[in-house]
Amino acid sequence: VAHDADLSSVYNVGEWDKEAGELPVLKAQKCMGGIDAINGRPATSNIKVGRGLSATGWLASSLEDATVPDATYLVLTDESGKRSFVKGAVAARPDVAKAYNKPTLARAGYSIAIDTIGLQGAYVLQLAMKTAGHIEICPEYSISATLNDQVK
């Protein structure tokens, strides 16, 4: 793939979700799940990312009720506090359903991918969920990321 190729023509890349940013944004009391991998590697607290960013994992608003969100988002917050939202695709997680003995949690998985061209510098990556017409940002998951800073 050429360096300047459009990643959306190579990968199933998501889109920035402008509508999510227009909804009320709250801090979630508690989220269950997490970010299992960033760009195919175990998620760590500080990462460097080149042109593409992907994240996989699972998220639920309640294990007791086996409640999965209406949508899961990866939130990128820049140094000025501006948030950008990428909506995830639902990914099957039979392992989560089995671990908690809650069949509904098989739909708790997500897969998110985005082309980060045009973004550069320091960002904070977080998970968020859409429920009842608003966005709740999960306080448990926060990753410092440097985007497109001569990452090879």
Side-chain angles (χ1 to χ4, degrees):
V1 176
H3 182 285
D4 59 352
D6 178 7
L7 290 184
S8 65
S9 66
V10 181
Y11 301 105
N12 183 14
V13 177
E15 295 181 6
W16 300 105
D17 189 331
K18 292 183 173 87
E19 289 181 16
E22 295 172 4
L23 294 172
V25 177
L26 310 170
K27 180 180 174 183
Q29 288 186 322
K30 186 174 184 181
C31 300
M32 302 302 296
I35 300 172
D36 294 337
I38 300 277
N39 289 351
R41 296 187 173 153
T44 60
S45 61
N46 196 326
I47 61 169
K48 288 189 177 189
V49 177
R51 171 102 185 260
L53 174 63
S54 67
T56 57
W58 67 277
L59 188 62
S61 55
S62 168
L63 288 179
E64 186 175 300
D65 299 331
T67 306
V68 296
D70 298 334
T72 299
Y73 297 92
L74 184 64
V75 183
L76 286 76
T77 306
D78 69 14
E79 292 176 295
S80 71
K82 180 184 177 213
R83 293 183 182 126
S84 299
F85 297 82
V86 185
K87 186 176 180 180
V90 175
R93 289 300 299 257
D95 60 320
V96 175
K98 184 177 181 182
Y100 293 100
N101 197 28
K102 303 277 186 174
T104 307
L105 293 179
R107 296 187 343 250
Y110 64 84
S111 176
I112 299 170
I114 195 72
D115 184 347
T116 59
I117 191 165
L119 300 180
Q120 186 167 355
Y123 285 79
V124 174
L125 309 180
Q126 294 177 288
L127 281 180
M129 57 186 162
K130 180 180 178 184
T131 55
H134 63 271
I135 303 292
E136 294 185 15
I137 295 181
C138 300
E140 297 90 348
Y141 317 111
S142 182
I143 296 174
S144 296
T146 302
L147 301 183
N148 297 313
D149 191 25
Q150 288 109 32
V151 176
K152 307 238 184 224

mmCIF file of all heavy atoms in Angstrom, residues 23-74:
data_model
loop_
_atom_site.group_PDB
_atom_site.id
_atom_site.type_symbol
_atom_site.label_atom_id
_atom_site.label_comp_id
_atom_site.label_asym_id
_atom_site.label_seq_id
_atom_site.Cartn_x
_atom_site.Cartn_y
_atom_site.Cartn_z
ATOM 1 N N LEU A 23 -24.755 15.449 21.145
ATOM 2 C CA LEU A 23 -25.582 14.936 22.236
ATOM 3 C C LEU A 23 -25.001 15.391 23.575
ATOM 4 O O LEU A 23 -23.810 15.697 23.664
ATOM 5 C CB LEU A 23 -25.620 13.405 22.194
ATOM 6 C CG LEU A 23 -26.305 12.774 20.992
ATOM 7 C CD1 LEU A 23 -26.100 11.263 20.993
ATOM 8 C CD2 LEU A 23 -27.782 13.108 20.976
ATOM 9 N N PRO A 24 -25.824 15.410 24.624
ATOM 10 C CA PRO A 24 -25.278 15.720 25.945
ATOM 11 C C PRO A 24 -24.213 14.685 26.322
ATOM 12 O O PRO A 24 -24.395 13.488 26.088
ATOM 13 C CB PRO A 24 -26.491 15.598 26.877
ATOM 14 C CG PRO A 24 -27.678 15.739 25.989
ATOM 15 C CD PRO A 24 -27.274 15.203 24.652
ATOM 16 N N VAL A 25 -23.088 15.159 26.851
ATOM 17 C CA VAL A 25 -21.986 14.278 27.237
ATOM 18 C C VAL A 25 -21.843 14.322 28.749
ATOM 19 O O VAL A 25 -21.684 15.396 29.337
ATOM 20 C CB VAL A 25 -20.665 14.692 26.548
ATOM 21 C CG1 VAL A 25 -19.519 13.806 27.016
ATOM 22 C CG2 VAL A 25 -20.808 14.643 25.030
ATOM 23 N N LEU A 26 -21.907 13.147 29.363
ATOM 24 C CA LEU A 26 -21.804 13.014 30.810
ATOM 25 C C LEU A 26 -20.655 12.077 31.161
ATOM 26 O O LEU A 26 -20.192 11.314 30.317
ATOM 27 C CB LEU A 26 -23.100 12.427 31.381
ATOM 28 C CG LEU A 26 -24.416 13.077 30.966
ATOM 29 C CD1 LEU A 26 -25.588 12.232 31.415
ATOM 30 C CD2 LEU A 26 -24.500 14.472 31.555
ATOM 31 N N LYS A 27 -20.247 12.110 32.408
ATOM 32 C CA LYS A 27 -19.269 11.146 32.904
ATOM 33 C C LYS A 27 -20.057 9.949 33.441
ATOM 34 O O LYS A 27 -20.941 10.113 34.282
ATOM 35 C CB LYS A 27 -18.425 11.762 34.014
ATOM 36 C CG LYS A 27 -17.388 10.827 34.579
ATOM 37 C CD LYS A 27 -16.583 11.512 35.667
ATOM 38 C CE LYS A 27 -15.636 10.554 36.338
ATOM 39 N NZ LYS A 27 -14.912 11.190 37.444
ATOM 40 N N ALA A 28 -19.754 8.764 32.935
ATOM 41 C CA ALA A 28 -20.440 7.559 33.408
ATOM 42 C C ALA A 28 -20.048 7.281 34.854
ATOM 43 O O ALA A 28 -18.916 7.551 35.259
ATOM 44 C CB ALA A 28 -20.066 6.368 32.526
ATOM 45 N N GLN A 29 -20.993 6.750 35.618
ATOM 46 C CA GLN A 29 -20.668 6.375 36.987
ATOM 47 C C GLN A 29 -19.687 5.216 36.992
ATOM 48 O O GLN A 29 -18.736 5.194 37.758
ATOM 49 C CB GLN A 29 -21.930 6.002 37.761
ATOM 50 C CG GLN A 29 -22.780 7.192 38.094
ATOM 51 C CD GLN A 29 -23.937 6.806 38.987
ATOM 52 O OE1 GLN A 29 -24.534 5.740 38.841
ATOM 53 N NE2 GLN A 29 -24.244 7.688 39.918
ATOM 54 N N LYS A 30 -19.946 4.231 36.112
ATOM 55 C CA LYS A 30 -19.074 3.073 36.025
ATOM 56 C C LYS A 30 -19.350 2.359 34.719
ATOM 57 O O LYS A 30 -20.496 2.225 34.310
ATOM 58 C CB LYS A 30 -19.304 2.125 37.193
ATOM 59 C CG LYS A 30 -18.329 0.987 37.244
ATOM 60 C CD LYS A 30 -18.500 0.168 38.500
ATOM 61 C CE LYS A 30 -17.431 -0.909 38.550
ATOM 62 N NZ LYS A 30 -17.567 -1.738 39.731
ATOM 63 N N CYS A 31 -18.290 1.910 34.088
ATOM 64 C CA CYS A 31 -18.414 1.099 32.883
ATOM 65 C C CYS A 31 -17.716 -0.229 33.134
ATOM 66 O O CYS A 31 -16.745 -0.291 33.879
ATOM 67 C CB CYS A 31 -17.743 1.778 31.689
ATOM 68 S SG CYS A 31 -18.421 3.388 31.262
ATOM 69 N N MET A 32 -18.195 -1.251 32.502
ATOM 70 C CA MET A 32 -17.574 -2.564 32.604
ATOM 71 C C MET A 32 -17.036 -2.942 31.232
ATOM 72 O O MET A 32 -17.696 -2.702 30.227
ATOM 73 C CB MET A 32 -18.595 -3.602 33.068
ATOM 74 C CG MET A 32 -19.241 -3.272 34.404
ATOM 75 S SD MET A 32 -18.079 -3.069 35.771
ATOM 76 C CE MET A 32 -17.384 -4.700 35.869
ATOM 77 N N GLY A 33 -15.865 -3.517 31.195
ATOM 78 C CA GLY A 33 -15.266 -3.927 29.932
ATOM 79 C C GLY A 33 -13.907 -3.301 29.782
ATOM 80 O O GLY A 33 -13.164 -3.179 30.755
ATOM 81 N N GLY A 34 -13.584 -2.882 28.563
ATOM 82 C CA GLY A 34 -12.308 -2.237 28.363
ATOM 83 C C GLY A 34 -11.842 -2.248 26.930
ATOM 84 O O GLY A 34 -12.546 -2.698 26.025
ATOM 85 N N ILE A 35 -10.641 -1.737 26.752
ATOM 86 C CA ILE A 35 -9.975 -1.739 25.460
ATOM 87 C C ILE A 35 -8.971 -2.882 25.506
ATOM 88 O O ILE A 35 -7.997 -2.828 26.257
ATOM 89 C CB ILE A 35 -9.251 -0.394 25.198
ATOM 90 C CG1 ILE A 35 -10.256 0.769 25.220
ATOM 91 C CG2 ILE A 35 -8.511 -0.440 23.863
ATOM 92 C CD1 ILE A 35 -9.611 2.146 25.168
ATOM 93 N N ASP A 36 -9.231 -3.925 24.735
ATOM 94 C CA ASP A 36 -8.329 -5.078 24.725
ATOM 95 C C ASP A 36 -7.085 -4.807 23.889
ATOM 96 O O ASP A 36 -5.982 -5.197 24.269
ATOM 97 C CB ASP A 36 -9.040 -6.321 24.174
ATOM 98 C CG ASP A 36 -10.163 -6.791 25.075
ATOM 99 O OD1 ASP A 36 -10.154 -6.485 26.285
ATOM 100 O OD2 ASP A 36 -11.064 -7.483 24.565
ATOM 101 N N ALA A 37 -7.275 -4.172 22.736
ATOM 102 C CA ALA A 37 -6.139 -3.963 21.832
ATOM 103 C C ALA A 37 -6.268 -2.650 21.072
ATOM 104 O O ALA A 37 -7.368 -2.227 20.732
ATOM 105 C CB ALA A 37 -6.048 -5.121 20.841
ATOM 106 N N ILE A 38 -5.130 -2.035 20.827
ATOM 107 C CA ILE A 38 -5.020 -0.863 19.964
ATOM 108 C C ILE A 38 -4.093 -1.277 18.821
ATOM 109 O O ILE A 38 -2.973 -1.734 19.069
ATOM 110 C CB ILE A 38 -4.406 0.350 20.704
ATOM 111 C CG1 ILE A 38 -5.250 0.759 21.898
ATOM 112 C CG2 ILE A 38 -4.159 1.502 19.738
ATOM 113 C CD1 ILE A 38 -6.421 1.648 21.598
ATOM 114 N N ASN A 39 -4.580 -1.135 17.604
ATOM 115 C CA ASN A 39 -3.813 -1.534 16.422
ATOM 116 C C ASN A 39 -3.249 -2.949 16.543
ATOM 117 O O ASN A 39 -2.110 -3.228 16.185
ATOM 118 C CB ASN A 39 -2.711 -0.523 16.105
ATOM 119 C CG ASN A 39 -3.273 0.778 15.578
ATOM 120 O OD1 ASN A 39 -4.455 0.890 15.292
ATOM 121 N ND2 ASN A 39 -2.423 1.780 15.451
ATOM 122 N N GLY A 40 -4.081 -3.841 17.096
ATOM 123 C CA GLY A 40 -3.718 -5.255 17.168
ATOM 124 C C GLY A 40 -2.772 -5.640 18.288
ATOM 125 O O GLY A 40 -2.410 -6.803 18.425
ATOM 126 N N ARG A 41 -2.387 -4.675 19.112
ATOM 127 C CA ARG A 41 -1.488 -4.959 20.233
ATOM 128 C C ARG A 41 -2.195 -4.660 21.540
ATOM 129 O O ARG A 41 -3.067 -3.796 21.584
ATOM 130 C CB ARG A 41 -0.235 -4.089 20.132
ATOM 131 C CG ARG A 41 0.588 -4.402 18.905
ATOM 132 C CD ARG A 41 1.874 -3.644 18.952
ATOM 133 N NE ARG A 41 2.720 -4.090 17.854
ATOM 134 C CZ ARG A 41 3.635 -3.343 17.292
ATOM 135 N NH1 ARG A 41 3.835 -2.120 17.715
ATOM 136 N NH2 ARG A 41 4.364 -3.818 16.313
ATOM 137 N N PRO A 42 -1.796 -5.335 22.619
ATOM 138 C CA PRO A 42 -2.433 -5.054 23.916
ATOM 139 C C PRO A 42 -2.384 -3.559 24.236
ATOM 140 O O PRO A 42 -1.363 -2.903 24.024
ATOM 141 C CB PRO A 42 -1.595 -5.860 24.904
ATOM 142 C CG PRO A 42 -1.024 -6.978 24.084
ATOM 143 C CD PRO A 42 -0.775 -6.385 22.723
ATOM 144 N N ALA A 43 -3.510 -3.047 24.715
ATOM 145 C CA ALA A 43 -3.603 -1.629 25.047
ATOM 146 C C ALA A 43 -2.712 -1.322 26.248
ATOM 147 O O ALA A 43 -2.694 -2.069 27.228
ATOM 148 C CB ALA A 43 -5.048 -1.255 25.344
ATOM 149 N N THR A 44 -1.965 -0.232 26.142
ATOM 150 C CA THR A 44 -1.129 0.237 27.241
ATOM 151 C C THR A 44 -1.537 1.676 27.560
ATOM 152 O O THR A 44 -2.335 2.272 26.849
ATOM 153 C CB THR A 44 0.372 0.181 26.865
ATOM 154 O OG1 THR A 44 0.597 1.008 25.720
ATOM 155 C CG2 THR A 44 0.812 -1.242 26.566
ATOM 156 N N SER A 45 -0.955 2.253 28.587
ATOM 157 C CA SER A 45 -1.380 3.595 29.014
ATOM 158 C C SER A 45 -0.823 4.718 28.152
ATOM 159 O O SER A 45 -1.264 5.854 28.262
ATOM 160 C CB SER A 45 -0.992 3.825 30.474
ATOM 161 O OG SER A 45 0.418 3.749 30.606
ATOM 162 N N ASN A 46 0.144 4.407 27.288
ATOM 163 C CA ASN A 46 0.753 5.439 26.450
ATOM 164 C C ASN A 46 1.159 4.801 25.130
ATOM 165 O O ASN A 46 1.926 3.843 25.121
ATOM 166 C CB ASN A 46 1.978 6.023 27.169
ATOM 167 C CG ASN A 46 2.412 7.333 26.564
ATOM 168 O OD1 ASN A 46 2.307 7.547 25.358
ATOM 169 N ND2 ASN A 46 2.919 8.209 27.401
ATOM 170 N N ILE A 47 0.640 5.334 24.010
ATOM 171 C CA ILE A 47 0.918 4.729 22.710
ATOM 172 C C ILE A 47 1.295 5.779 21.670
ATOM 173 O O ILE A 47 1.013 6.965 21.846
ATOM 174 C CB ILE A 47 -0.293 3.922 22.190
ATOM 175 C CG1 ILE A 47 -1.508 4.845 22.006
ATOM 176 C CG2 ILE A 47 -0.607 2.756 23.096
ATOM 177 C CD1 ILE A 47 -2.660 4.207 21.269
ATOM 178 N N LYS A 48 1.928 5.314 20.603
ATOM 179 C CA LYS A 48 2.184 6.146 19.426
ATOM 180 C C LYS A 48 1.451 5.485 18.268
ATOM 181 O O LYS A 48 1.510 4.271 18.093
ATOM 182 C CB LYS A 48 3.671 6.242 19.132
ATOM 183 C CG LYS A 48 4.412 7.096 20.116
ATOM 184 C CD LYS A 48 5.835 7.345 19.679
ATOM 185 C CE LYS A 48 6.497 8.287 20.681
ATOM 186 N NZ LYS A 48 7.795 8.733 20.213
ATOM 187 N N VAL A 49 0.744 6.305 17.500
ATOM 188 C CA VAL A 49 -0.092 5.800 16.423
ATOM 189 C C VAL A 49 0.247 6.532 15.137
ATOM 190 O O VAL A 49 0.376 7.751 15.134
ATOM 191 C CB VAL A 49 -1.594 6.007 16.762
ATOM 192 C CG1 VAL A 49 -2.470 5.562 15.615
ATOM 193 C CG2 VAL A 49 -1.953 5.277 18.035
ATOM 194 N N GLY A 50 0.368 5.776 14.057
ATOM 195 C CA GLY A 50 0.586 6.374 12.744
ATOM 196 C C GLY A 50 -0.733 6.740 12.111
ATOM 197 O O GLY A 50 -1.651 7.240 12.762
ATOM 198 N N ARG A 51 -0.881 6.431 10.856
ATOM 199 C CA ARG A 51 -2.019 6.886 10.065
ATOM 200 C C ARG A 51 -3.341 6.216 10.427
ATOM 201 O O ARG A 51 -4.398 6.809 10.283
ATOM 202 C CB ARG A 51 -1.681 6.656 8.595
ATOM 203 C CG ARG A 51 -2.785 6.866 7.641
ATOM 204 C CD ARG A 51 -2.662 8.195 6.944
ATOM 205 N NE ARG A 51 -3.821 8.388 6.110
ATOM 206 C CZ ARG A 51 -3.848 8.174 4.808
ATOM 207 N NH1 ARG A 51 -2.795 7.769 4.178
ATOM 208 N NH2 ARG A 51 -4.961 8.387 4.153
ATOM 209 N N GLY A 52 -3.317 4.985 10.869
ATOM 210 C CA GLY A 52 -4.559 4.288 11.189
ATOM 211 C C GLY A 52 -4.649 3.968 12.664
ATOM 212 O O GLY A 52 -3.647 3.741 13.334
ATOM 213 N N LEU A 53 -5.857 3.982 13.185
ATOM 214 C CA LEU A 53 -6.093 3.676 14.591
ATOM 215 C C LEU A 53 -7.240 2.691 14.677
ATOM 216 O O LEU A 53 -8.322 2.944 14.135
ATOM 217 C CB LEU A 53 -6.448 4.960 15.357
ATOM 218 C CG LEU A 53 -6.867 4.819 16.820
ATOM 219 C CD1 LEU A 53 -5.733 4.240 17.656
ATOM 220 C CD2 LEU A 53 -7.285 6.173 17.374
ATOM 221 N N SER A 54 -7.002 1.567 15.338
ATOM 222 C CA SER A 54 -8.078 0.608 15.559
ATOM 223 C C SER A 54 -8.092 0.206 17.026
ATOM 224 O O SER A 54 -7.069 0.248 17.707
ATOM 225 C CB SER A 54 -7.908 -0.637 14.673
ATOM 226 O OG SER A 54 -6.758 -1.362 15.065
ATOM 227 N N ALA A 55 -9.269 -0.133 17.502
ATOM 228 C CA ALA A 55 -9.429 -0.561 18.889
ATOM 229 C C ALA A 55 -10.482 -1.659 18.942
ATOM 230 O O ALA A 55 -11.482 -1.618 18.226
ATOM 231 C CB ALA A 55 -9.863 0.602 19.778
ATOM 232 N N THR A 56 -10.234 -2.652 19.783
ATOM 233 C CA THR A 56 -11.205 -3.722 20.010
ATOM 234 C C THR A 56 -11.328 -3.963 21.505
ATOM 235 O O THR A 56 -10.400 -3.686 22.269
ATOM 236 C CB THR A 56 -10.783 -5.040 19.316
ATOM 237 O OG1 THR A 56 -9.473 -5.412 19.791
ATOM 238 C CG2 THR A 56 -10.760 -4.893 17.803
ATOM 239 N N GLY A 57 -12.481 -4.467 21.900
ATOM 240 C CA GLY A 57 -12.714 -4.773 23.304
ATOM 241 C C GLY A 57 -14.186 -5.030 23.536
ATOM 242 O O GLY A 57 -14.901 -5.459 22.623
ATOM 243 N N TRP A 58 -14.630 -4.758 24.750
ATOM 244 C CA TRP A 58 -16.049 -4.916 25.051
ATOM 245 C C TRP A 58 -16.452 -3.874 26.085
ATOM 246 O O TRP A 58 -15.622 -3.349 26.814
ATOM 247 C CB TRP A 58 -16.369 -6.334 25.509
ATOM 248 C CG TRP A 58 -15.780 -6.752 26.834
ATOM 249 C CD1 TRP A 58 -14.513 -7.215 27.053
ATOM 250 C CD2 TRP A 58 -16.427 -6.754 28.105
ATOM 251 N NE1 TRP A 58 -14.341 -7.504 28.384
ATOM 252 C CE2 TRP A 58 -15.504 -7.240 29.047
ATOM 253 C CE3 TRP A 58 -17.708 -6.398 28.541
ATOM 254 C CZ2 TRP A 58 -15.818 -7.370 30.397
ATOM 255 C CZ3 TRP A 58 -18.020 -6.526 29.883
ATOM 256 C CH2 TRP A 58 -17.078 -7.012 30.796
ATOM 257 N N LEU A 59 -17.753 -3.569 26.101
ATOM 258 C CA LEU A 59 -18.257 -2.536 26.994
ATOM 259 C C LEU A 59 -19.700 -2.834 27.373
ATOM 260 O O LEU A 59 -20.513 -3.186 26.523
ATOM 261 C CB LEU A 59 -18.174 -1.169 26.304
ATOM 262 C CG LEU A 59 -18.490 0.061 27.143
ATOM 263 C CD1 LEU A 59 -17.494 0.206 28.298
ATOM 264 C CD2 LEU A 59 -18.462 1.311 26.290
ATOM 265 N N ALA A 60 -19.985 -2.698 28.651
ATOM 266 C CA ALA A 60 -21.350 -2.856 29.165
ATOM 267 C C ALA A 60 -21.581 -1.799 30.233
ATOM 268 O O ALA A 60 -20.654 -1.414 30.946
ATOM 269 C CB ALA A 60 -21.554 -4.247 29.762
ATOM 270 N N SER A 61 -22.808 -1.326 30.320
ATOM 271 C CA SER A 61 -23.106 -0.346 31.358
ATOM 272 C C SER A 61 -23.450 -1.031 32.678
ATOM 273 O O SER A 61 -23.365 -0.422 33.729
ATOM 274 C CB SER A 61 -24.230 0.590 30.925
ATOM 275 O OG SER A 61 -25.367 -0.138 30.562
ATOM 276 N N SER A 62 -23.828 -2.310 32.594
ATOM 277 C CA SER A 62 -24.124 -3.063 33.805
ATOM 278 C C SER A 62 -23.907 -4.547 33.556
ATOM 279 O O SER A 62 -24.437 -5.094 32.576
ATOM 280 C CB SER A 62 -25.576 -2.833 34.236
ATOM 281 O OG SER A 62 -25.954 -3.750 35.244
ATOM 282 N N LEU A 63 -23.144 -5.186 34.418
ATOM 283 C CA LEU A 63 -22.998 -6.641 34.330
ATOM 284 C C LEU A 63 -24.184 -7.334 34.988
ATOM 285 O O LEU A 63 -24.649 -8.354 34.511
ATOM 286 C CB LEU A 63 -21.694 -7.090 34.994
ATOM 287 C CG LEU A 63 -20.415 -6.762 34.264
ATOM 288 C CD1 LEU A 63 -19.211 -7.256 35.054
ATOM 289 C CD2 LEU A 63 -20.418 -7.362 32.872
ATOM 290 N N GLU A 64 -24.658 -6.746 36.066
ATOM 291 C CA GLU A 64 -25.779 -7.339 36.801
ATOM 292 C C GLU A 64 -27.001 -7.498 35.901
ATOM 293 O O GLU A 64 -27.642 -8.540 35.876
ATOM 294 C CB GLU A 64 -26.110 -6.468 38.010
ATOM 295 C CG GLU A 64 -27.160 -7.080 38.917
ATOM 296 C CD GLU A 64 -27.353 -6.236 40.170
ATOM 297 O OE1 GLU A 64 -26.380 -6.067 40.916
ATOM 298 O OE2 GLU A 64 -28.493 -5.764 40.364
ATOM 299 N N ASP A 65 -27.314 -6.437 35.138
ATOM 300 C CA ASP A 65 -28.463 -6.471 34.236
ATOM 301 C C ASP A 65 -28.083 -6.910 32.826
ATOM 302 O O ASP A 65 -28.943 -6.981 31.950
ATOM 303 C CB ASP A 65 -29.113 -5.087 34.153
ATOM 304 C CG ASP A 65 -29.623 -4.604 35.502
ATOM 305 O OD1 ASP A 65 -29.980 -5.450 36.341
ATOM 306 O OD2 ASP A 65 -29.642 -3.385 35.706
ATOM 307 N N ALA A 66 -26.776 -7.138 32.591
ATOM 308 C CA ALA A 66 -26.259 -7.503 31.261
ATOM 309 C C ALA A 66 -26.698 -6.477 30.215
ATOM 310 O O ALA A 66 -27.163 -6.822 29.141
ATOM 311 C CB ALA A 66 -26.698 -8.914 30.876
ATOM 312 N N THR A 67 -26.527 -5.192 30.556
ATOM 313 C CA THR A 67 -26.952 -4.104 29.681
ATOM 314 C C THR A 67 -25.802 -3.655 28.795
ATOM 315 O O THR A 67 -24.742 -3.248 29.288
ATOM 316 C CB THR A 67 -27.439 -2.911 30.519
ATOM 317 O OG1 THR A 67 -28.448 -3.366 31.426
ATOM 318 C CG2 THR A 67 -27.999 -1.814 29.636
ATOM 319 N N VAL A 68 -26.032 -3.742 27.490
ATOM 320 C CA VAL A 68 -25.034 -3.252 26.532
ATOM 321 C C VAL A 68 -25.506 -1.899 26.015
ATOM 322 O O VAL A 68 -26.702 -1.630 25.934
ATOM 323 C CB VAL A 68 -24.804 -4.248 25.381
ATOM 324 C CG1 VAL A 68 -24.223 -5.552 25.910
ATOM 325 C CG2 VAL A 68 -26.063 -4.519 24.608
ATOM 326 N N PRO A 69 -24.577 -1.018 25.670
ATOM 327 C CA PRO A 69 -24.967 0.313 25.204
ATOM 328 C C PRO A 69 -25.631 0.283 23.835
ATOM 329 O O PRO A 69 -25.470 -0.667 23.072
ATOM 330 C CB PRO A 69 -23.644 1.074 25.158
ATOM 331 C CG PRO A 69 -22.576 0.057 25.160
ATOM 332 C CD PRO A 69 -23.133 -1.181 25.766
ATOM 333 N N ASP A 70 -26.358 1.360 23.523
ATOM 334 C CA ASP A 70 -26.943 1.512 22.189
ATOM 335 C C ASP A 70 -25.833 1.630 21.148
ATOM 336 O O ASP A 70 -25.994 1.193 20.013
ATOM 337 C CB ASP A 70 -27.829 2.759 22.117
ATOM 338 C CG ASP A 70 -29.011 2.687 23.070
ATOM 339 O OD1 ASP A 70 -29.449 1.569 23.403
ATOM 340 O OD2 ASP A 70 -29.490 3.755 23.486
ATOM 341 N N ALA A 71 -24.704 2.230 21.520
ATOM 342 C CA ALA A 71 -23.540 2.363 20.652
ATOM 343 C C ALA A 71 -22.303 2.547 21.531
ATOM 344 O O ALA A 71 -22.391 3.057 22.643
ATOM 345 C CB ALA A 71 -23.694 3.560 19.713
ATOM 346 N N THR A 72 -21.165 2.118 21.003
ATOM 347 C CA THR A 72 -19.878 2.294 21.684
ATOM 348 C C THR A 72 -19.016 3.215 20.827
ATOM 349 O O THR A 72 -18.996 3.096 19.607
ATOM 350 C CB THR A 72 -19.180 0.939 21.874
ATOM 351 O OG1 THR A 72 -20.005 0.100 22.683
ATOM 352 C CG2 THR A 72 -17.827 1.105 22.548
ATOM 353 N N TYR A 73 -18.285 4.109 21.484
ATOM 354 C CA TYR A 73 -17.439 5.085 20.786
ATOM 355 C C TYR A 73 -16.028 5.075 21.343
ATOM 356 O O TYR A 73 -15.831 4.888 22.546
ATOM 357 C CB TYR A 73 -17.983 6.508 20.964
ATOM 358 C CG TYR A 73 -19.339 6.711 20.376
ATOM 359 C CD1 TYR A 73 -20.490 6.521 21.133
ATOM 360 C CD2 TYR A 73 -19.486 7.101 19.046
ATOM 361 C CE1 TYR A 73 -21.752 6.704 20.590
ATOM 362 C CE2 TYR A 73 -20.749 7.297 18.496
ATOM 363 C CZ TYR A 73 -21.866 7.089 19.275
ATOM 364 O OH TYR A 73 -23.118 7.272 18.735
ATOM 365 N N LEU A 74 -15.077 5.341 20.459
ATOM 366 C CA LEU A 74 -13.747 5.713 20.876
ATOM 367 C C LEU A 74 -13.728 7.239 20.800
ATOM 368 O O LEU A 74 -14.115 7.820 19.776
ATOM 369 C CB LEU A 74 -12.686 5.116 19.943
ATOM 370 C CG LEU A 74 -11.232 5.356 20.349
ATOM 371 C CD1 LEU A 74 -10.921 4.669 21.682
ATOM 372 C CD2 LEU A 74 -10.289 4.856 19.269
#
